[in-house]
Amino acid sequence: MRTEYCGQLNLSHVGQQVTLCGWVNRRRDLGSLIFIDMRDREGIVQVFFDPDRQEAFNLASELRNEFCIQITGTVRARDEKNKNSDMPTGEIEVFATDLVIINRSEPLPLDSNHENSEEARLKYRYLDLRRPDMANRLKARAKITSFVRRFMDDNGFLDIETPMLTKATPEGARDYLVPSRVHKGKFYALPQSPQLFKQLLMMSGFDRYYQIVKCFRDEDLRADRQPEFTQIDVETSFMTAPQVREKMERLVRELWLDVKGVELGDFPQMTFAEAMRRYGSDKPDLRNPMELVDVADLLKEVEFKVFSGPANDAKGRVAALRVPGGATLSRKQIDEYGKFIEIYGAKGLAYIKVNERANGLEGIQSPVAKFLTAEIVEAILARTGAADGDMIFFGADNAAVVSDALGALRLKLGRDLNITEEGRWAPLWVIDFPMFEDNGEGGLTAMHHPFTAPKDMTPEELKNLPETAIANAYDMVINGYEVGGGSVRIHNSQMQQTVFSILGINEQEQREKFGFLLDALKYGTPPHAGLAFGLDRLVMLLTGTDNIRDVIAFPKTTAAACLMTEAPSFANPAGLAELGIQVVKKEKPASEEMPEND
């Protein structure tokens, strides 16, 4: 039906007859001439209708935005004064000789000239995707996935599919369950990741595997998460953690060079402990130069219990965050930042404004100054590197609260005060994560997943000192986003059973949930390691948006709903009966029932 795409026409087509198919992006009726901007997936071109072609001209007078049309015409060069440098096709236009209206459009529920609510955009997603910005993001996504496939193929990785209907295995989030009609009362689970299957592929001898695969997690959502998301899943045998990181770093460096024309350079490495100490986050945004500085040793003897309590507690932390030029913040702004960190469990935000550092106590302004000596103030200013005009914020609580609160405050201040260098890329590897973390109930949970190997520990040593274990795990972080994570896997049956036991999974549960894995580990399992990238997040970064829904064709809301199809929906009762499922409505307590009318 077409000979060319609208957005690919240029001066080389001048004089040629072309046939285009697409939509009316804009129409301008000048009386003697009718102009339209015609759009397809590749871009926009100007088309004009002349009364000399009466039939086409008359039909063009009926055109409105989003009419689906076909035109045939001749490509002409524009006069110098009429060239449009803002359009890739701005040097040419098409003189239409024939017009076919394929389909008319009703008035649009979306306004193409104004901002639409995200709810409206998601409800009418098929219209939203016609916008050039959205179309370009999905085209970029296709280019990125194509590049990844070529890289993986060129480096000896095999694309192998793994099952979508599988066994529920605990991986940190709730499973999406699929009932079986054949096996009534039993359920499949949609995979949270292909983790166990890719390990089994290593045991099967496929030493380099990859897959671009859908994963499913039923968890409370945030702005950058979706219930179904796409991973670039990678696994290798007989490769060390540094070798895996080198290979995956090269993939990302070449991807950035291909898509953005940017050389990222070598990625620095930082341990989890250092990242939390300096930035309060295991995915630090290194474009922001501000760092957390520990000052507990300076405040152990002060009478201010908010400081001295955590300073003398082995599980406490007192840290300072120097904000360059922050002394200009008003009391109202400081109070707003204090409320902000309450989200992270902090109880308040102490501060010191540095007006004239050379004047010691007299040169600062602080509600806690009366508790501090001149020597303590000078030591804090020296350690933080504070200068005149700076602000120092303090966090004092248990270590986790201080890291979370000041880490989040650091990011917010970086954005609010334009401290973060938005124009550059800052990748890094975060390594040496703790194997386990406190589950809040007196037990331990795996920080990554229960198939991650510890560093330099025997099963006996791990069993005796699990809290000290360091995981052979690594995350790739770019501009404060975790874009990928992986680890060396456990390839020893005894070690795997030890980890399960530490996590409170008894032998019977181990057999029920992971029997197939434990059996496979008995038969010459090779050492193996891998990594998974979040494709959606990579595309989000490469296309310059901060909304993950912008790079997914048909995303869900933060309530895990599709506004376009109105999913999830109630199932047909007959279908449920065939599956042996009955939906039971939860009865309201008597206190919630509406009273009867007298």
Side-chain angles (χ1 to χ4, degrees):
M1 292 182 68
R2 62 154 64 100
T3 61
E4 308 289 342
Y5 280 106
C6 297
Q8 293 180 345
L9 293 176
N10 54 50
L11 288 172
S12 69
H13 295 93
V14 169
Q16 295 181 22
Q17 180 174 287
V18 296
T19 300
L20 308 175
C21 294
W23 290 266
V24 177
N25 194 66
R26 190 165 66 118
R27 173 181 173 274
R28 303 182 301 284
D29 190 340
L30 305 183
S32 59
L33 291 174
I34 295 175
F35 289 89
I36 66 165
D37 288 343
M38 186 173 175
R39 185 192 72 244
D40 59 22
R41 79 169 205 191
E42 295 300 319
I44 296 173
V45 68
Q46 179 171 284
V47 178
F48 72 93
F49 298 85
D50 189 292
D52 289 345
R53 291 284 182 166
Q54 193 66 46
E55 186 177 347
F57 184 84
N58 290 342
L59 194 55
S61 67
E62 301 177 24
L63 295 178
R64 297 293 182 270
N65 286 4
E66 299 307 319
F67 275 33
C68 184
I69 62 173
Q70 179 192 57
I71 71 106
T72 298
T74 304
V75 180
R76 295 184 177 182
R78 293 201 205 187
D79 295 336
E80 191 65 34
K81 65 179 180 180
N82 292 323
K83 289 181 179 179
N84 185 347
S85 59
D86 294 331
M87 291 174 60
T89 61
E91 293 184 302
I92 56 94
E93 59 189 355
V94 179
F95 168 47
T97 54
D98 293 286
L99 168 65
V100 176
I101 297 178
I102 298 172
N103 255 318
R104 296 170 185 265
S105 173
E106 294 183 3
L108 297 179
L110 296 180
D111 188 339
S112 59
N113 297 315
H114 297 88
E115 289 292 325
N116 296 285
S117 70
E118 189 168 41
E119 289 76 12
R121 290 177 54 207
L122 292 175
K123 182 173 178 61
Y124 299 100
R125 190 64 164 182
Y126 43 86
L127 297 178
D128 187 47
L129 291 177
R130 291 183 188 176
R131 293 192 299 118
D133 283 352
M134 292 300 296
N136 288 337
R137 289 183 186 121
L138 290 191
K139 285 163 60 180
R141 183 180 179 119
K143 180 181 179 181
I144 291 163
T145 55
S146 178
F147 181 93
V148 169
R149 290 189 187 281
R150 288 197 305 274
F151 180 93
M152 301 305 285
D153 293 344
D154 291 346
N155 283 272
F157 287 84
L158 300 176
D159 182 359
I160 305 176
E161 296 178 353
T162 52
M164 284 290 122
L165 298 176
T166 183
K167 183 182 179 70
T169 54
E171 289 191 36
R174 298 181 187 88
D175 291 307
Y176 279 102
L177 300 177
V178 180
S180 170
R181 178 186 59 82
V182 177
H183 305 281
K184 283 189 171 58
K186 293 186 177 182
F187 294 81
Y188 301 102
L190 298 179
Q192 294 186 32
S193 77
Q195 181 62 47
L196 294 183
F197 285 106
K198 67 180 180 180
Q199 289 188 238
L200 291 168
L201 285 169
M202 296 303 102
M203 300 173 198
S204 304
F206 298 97
D207 62 339
R208 292 194 180 190
Y209 142 96
Y210 86 98
Q211 186 182 187
I212 298 179
V213 59
K214 280 287 187 186
C215 302
F216 307 87
R217 292 181 184 174
D218 183 5
E219 58 188 346
D220 294 334
L221 301 181
R222 298 198 301 259
D224 64 342
R225 284 188 178 175
Q226 285 280 294
E228 53 179 316
F229 56 95
T230 306
Q231 279 188 182
I232 304 169
D233 205 46
V234 181
E235 197 77 6
T236 68
S237 298
F238 307 112
M239 286 180 72
T240 63
Q243 288 172 326
V244 171
R245 290 198 293 270
E246 186 277 329
K247 186 73 69 177
M248 295 300 98
E249 179 178 321
R250 188 158 65 84
L251 164 61
V252 171
R253 287 176 60 179
E254 292 184 14
L255 177 61
W256 248 253
L257 193 60
D258 183 74
V259 175
K260 304 291 290 184
V262 171
E263 174 55 69
L264 293 176
D266 293 334
F267 291 14
Q269 291 186 15
M270 183 181 300
T271 65
F272 169 87
E274 182 183 358
M276 296 303 294
R277 175 175 57 81
R278 294 173 60 187
Y279 303 105
S281 171
D282 61 359
K283 48 182 180 182
D285 186 348
L286 298 187
R287 298 173 303 162
N288 181 334
M290 293 187 291
E291 296 188 18
L292 279 60
V293 177
D294 285 308
V295 293
D297 59 307
L298 304 176
L299 298 166
K300 288 185 175 182
E301 306 302 325
V302 299
E303 294 182 10
F304 189 45
K305 296 297 183 184
V306 171
F307 281 173
S308 60
N312 289 285
D313 185 344
K315 295 183 178 180
R317 184 181 188 188
V318 184
L321 177 68
R322 179 180 73 88
V323 184
T328 58
L329 292 172
S330 68
R331 182 54 191 263
K332 179 182 177 184
Q333 289 173 304
I334 294 170
D335 289 344
E336 287 173 353
Y337 287 124
K339 290 179 181 177
F340 170 75
I341 64 170
E342 288 177 5
I343 300 169
Y344 302 90
K347 300 179 185 69
L349 186 61
Y351 65 88
I352 290 176
K353 279 187 178 183
V354 185
N355 297 322
E356 294 181 68
R357 179 175 172 181
N359 290 340
L361 270 175
E362 299 299 320
I364 68 165
Q365 181 181 345
S366 172
V368 298
K370 59 186 177 182
F371 300 108
L372 307 177
T373 65
E375 292 76 17
I376 291 175
V377 169
E378 176 54 33
I380 291 172
L381 298 181
R383 187 172 295 182
T384 59
D388 292 354
D390 289 349
M391 171 78 83
I392 300 174
F393 285 120
F394 294 90
D397 210 306
N398 72 61
V401 168
V402 171
S403 296
D404 289 347
L406 286 190
L409 181 63
R410 169 182 172 271
L411 294 177
K412 184 168 176 57
L413 286 164
R415 291 189 297 269
D416 292 352
L417 304 182
N418 296 317
I419 294 171
T420 300
E421 301 174 59
E422 296 289 349
R424 74 180 184 94
W425 297 98
L428 80 152
W429 287 103
V430 178
I431 63 173
D432 291 354
F433 288 79
M435 232 350 230
F436 306 104
E437 55 187 341
D438 193 330
N439 65 4
E441 299 175 358
L444 296 174
T445 185
M447 179 164 272
H448 274 68
H449 55 61
F451 318 108
T452 298
K455 259 189 167 183
D456 306 320
M457 290 186 89
T458 65
E460 292 76 17
E461 290 169 336
L462 181 65
K463 182 178 180 180
N464 292 330
L465 295 168
E467 296 88 352
T468 67
I470 299 297
N472 203 346
Y474 34 84
D475 282 356
M476 182 187 289
V477 177
I478 300 179
N479 291 5
Y481 289 96
E482 178 197 332
V483 298
S487 66
V488 173
R489 323 303 188 187
I490 296 169
H491 66 278
N492 174 278
S493 182
Q494 185 184 357
M495 179 66 81
Q496 187 63 78
Q497 288 174 296
T498 300
V499 170
F500 285 154
S501 297
I502 291 169
L503 296 174
I505 305 172
N506 62 40
E507 289 188 20
Q508 182 179 343
E509 285 182 291
Q510 291 179 31
R511 290 306 310 174
E512 289 176 355
K513 296 176 179 177
F514 304 104
F516 63 95
L517 175 68
L518 295 173
D519 287 342
L521 287 169
K522 298 174 183 176
Y523 301 107
T525 299
H528 53 288
L531 179 142
F533 289 107
L535 176 63
D536 309 307
R537 215 168 274 177
L538 283 173
V539 177
M540 184 180 79
L541 284 170
L542 285 164
T543 57
T545 179
D546 59 1
N547 187 341
I548 205 166
R549 291 184 287 278
D550 282 346
V551 299
I552 300 172
F554 300 104
K556 305 290 190 296
T557 67
T558 51
C562 174
L563 300 182
M564 183 182 68
T565 63
E566 298 183 342
S569 58
F570 291 105
N572 184 297
L576 289 177
E578 191 175 14
L579 292 167
I581 294 175
Q582 181 179 5
V583 177
V584 179
K585 290 185 179 180
K586 185 178 179 180
E587 293 185 8
K588 290 184 178 181
S591 60
E592 294 184 20
E593 293 178 359
M594 294 294 290
E596 294 181 358
N597 293 329
D598 292 334

